[in-house]
Amino acid sequence: MSALLSVRALEKRFTTRSRGLFRRTTHTVQAVADVSFELERGSALGLVGESGSGKSTTARMIAGLLAPTSGSIRLDGVELAGAAEAVWRPQRRRLQMIFQDPYASLDPRRTVGATVIEPMIVQRLGKPRERRVRALALLEAVGLSAAHAGRYPHEFSGGQRQRVGIARALALEPELLVCDEPVSALDVSVQAQIINLFKELQERFGLAYLFIAHDLAVVRSLCERIAVMYAGRIVELAPRDSLFDSPRHPYTRALLSAVPIADPVLARTRERIVLLGDPPSLHAPPSGCPFHPRCSERVRVKGDRCARERPELPHESHSAACHLSVK
Ligand code: SF4
């Protein structure tokens, strides 16, 4: 069976212009480069990395909020990259986005019931009574109740507002939810509740998730596969257990060393890898491997190859773009 979502060689470059005293200068920022992955129906892929790694830009291109510079985004075989609105319109029902800040994405003047009904009106789905019944059922599905339908967003907590955002995203019966850091703004205890809700909804509605997070711990329980991004590229892509048990890229190892461990004895014995320096400037990315200025393991690669030659991401079930992981 073909993948629900297939992304190939996706690129996004932004051009910025600044006016100096004598001339205007143009800069190009390579925000996303050569990103490829597939997502099966009913499964979840986590996209993880620091701020500026390109994960949110990738999500926004897939959701149709940003036009890719080049590359392909296929939803069930339909090409969406650069597609006209007539192509996008029927696909929007199948692909919905959930945002990091639920408050900013909800209209403060609209009741929660009206918020959930709105996408059904836009897509001309059902009759008014059917829409109301469906909105109430969705509020219950996300752990709210019919009594909440007449309230406004400011009357809810952050976690409840994210539940409203999820109910609204489900209104059109999507197959794929693109979730852009949906729990980052929530308290840790509320994060766990919302992650559990995502799992329940996945089982109930057969949803696929592209789940963006900056923290590997967040995607661990939800996503079967995880892609780690650095400086606009995927540097490691692997099944979850394989990635957690035997990470191959030094950047992934550093991220994993920061994941909290519940067992205090294990936590004391674990080596914490502290990354030196900052993520690279996307205006002027480093030559060779983009991670090389921060990588403590480059000394193991002969002839300073890391500074000269960018390692490719191989096509394997567990792949890492690192000269050390090439067999
Ligand atoms: Fe480190 Fe070199 Fe591997 Fe890059 S290619 S992650 S610099 S060892």
Side-chain angles (χ1 to χ4, degrees), residues 50-51 230 251 254-255 272-281 286 290-296:
E50 293 168 290
S51 307
Y230 187 80
Y251 178 59
L255 289 184
R272 175 78 204 271
I273 303 170
V274 179
L275 284 176
L276 302 172
D278 296 317
S281 157
F291 189 57
H292 88 262
R294 305 171 82 189
C295 183
S296 57

Side-chain angles (χ1 to χ4, degrees), residues 235 248-251 253 288-301 305-307 309-311 321-325:
V235 294
R248 293 185 187 169
H249 197 283
Y251 178 59
R253 284 198 276 276
C289 172
F291 189 57
H292 88 262
R294 305 171 82 189
C295 183
S296 57
E297 298 191 36
R298 62 185 278 210
V299 291
R300 293 170 54 207
V301 181
R305 188 177 167 205
C306 298
E309 194 184 317
R310 182 166 49 76
C322 172
H323 294 312
L324 290 172
S325 77

Side-chain angles (χ1 to χ4, degrees), residues 31 188 231:
V188 174

Side-chain angles (χ1 to χ4, degrees), residues 168-180:
R168 182 181 56 183
L170 293 177
L172 300 177
E173 300 178 33
E175 294 160 68
L176 169 62
L177 290 187
V178 177
C179 310
D180 188 9

